[in-house]
Amino acid sequence: MDQFFTRLVLSNHTPDRVGRHVLFWTVCWLFQGFLYGFFYWNGQPALLFRISFVESLFFLPQQIMLSYGIMYYVLPNYFFKDRYWGGILWVMGLILLSALLSPLVNELVISPYRNWIGFPRKGNTVFYSFMGGLRGSMTISGFAVA
């Protein structure tokens, strides 16, 4: 068992690296699905958590884009080459892009999904959706980059 965790955490072997990434994103998805399952709490926990896990899955690609953009583009091309201002601008741009995708995902994917299952939509505005995307993406990408 100890060898399994050592390989998973420290190995550069491709299957181990892929497993590490899949495990990380699965944990992020489960964490957010559980956390946001309490957002609409009205006494139907099974339905609410099911909706929350589906919605968390829809928002995961923008968090992955932000995290990998920072880790595999910005860090090696800017910060590791002492080009800090360019790196800061890229990070801020990626964060803004990720946050701007949140209202788009909310309007084009989440709202039709909620209508399809007959779940009422709270009166979310574009601003609140933007701020939620900003908070969620920065939190998850911060963990990923760290």
Side-chain angles (χ1 to χ4, degrees), residues 7-8 10 15 27 36 51 60 69 82 94 108-110 113 126 128 130 135 144 146:
R7 271 196 354 258
L8 183 67
L10 300 175
V27 168
Y36 293 114
I51 291 168
L60 202 59
D82 297 330
L94 287 171
L108 297 176
V109 181
I110 301 296
Y113 169 70
V126 171
Y128 288 122
F130 173 80
R135 181 194 65 231

Side-chain angles (χ1 to χ4, degrees), residues 14 27 75-76 92 97:
T14 302
V27 168
L75 288 178
M92 291 177 72
L97 175 65

Side-chain angles (χ1 to χ4, degrees), residues 54-73:
V54 170
E55 290 181 5
S56 296
L57 192 61
F58 288 143
F59 285 114
L60 202 59
Q62 73 192 44
Q63 296 163 355
I64 291 171
M65 181 233 14
L66 176 61
S67 301
Y68 287 150
I70 293 171
M71 287 188 293
Y72 294 115
Y73 181 74

Side-chain angles (χ1 to χ4, degrees), residues 4-79:
F4 169 76
F5 288 114
T6 302
R7 271 196 354 258
L8 183 67
V9 174
L10 300 175
S11 174
N12 276 330
H13 190 248
T14 302
D16 295 331
R17 288 185 66 188
V18 170
R20 208 172 25 235
H21 288 260
V22 168
L23 178 63
F24 177 81
W25 291 113
T26 302
V27 168
C28 288
W29 169 62
L30 292 173
F31 171 74
Q32 287 192 328
F34 180 75
L35 181 68
Y36 293 114
F38 293 101
F39 186 65
Y40 288 107
W41 192 260
N42 68 355
Q44 301 176 14
L47 174 65
L48 296 176
F49 282 103
R50 193 169 357 146
I51 291 168
S52 178
F53 282 110
V54 170
E55 290 181 5
S56 296
L57 192 61
F58 288 143
F59 285 114
L60 202 59
Q62 73 192 44
Q63 296 163 355
I64 291 171
M65 181 233 14
L66 176 61
S67 301
Y68 287 150
I70 293 171
M71 287 188 293
Y72 294 115
Y73 181 74
V74 176
L75 288 178
N77 291 312
Y78 290 92
F79 288 106

Side-chain angles (χ1 to χ4, degrees), residues 78-95:
Y78 290 92
F79 288 106
F80 296 158
K81 294 181 179 178
D82 297 330
R83 298 168 50 196
Y84 300 113
W85 288 111
I88 289 170
L89 289 174
W90 265 102
V91 168
M92 291 177 72
L94 287 171
I95 289 171

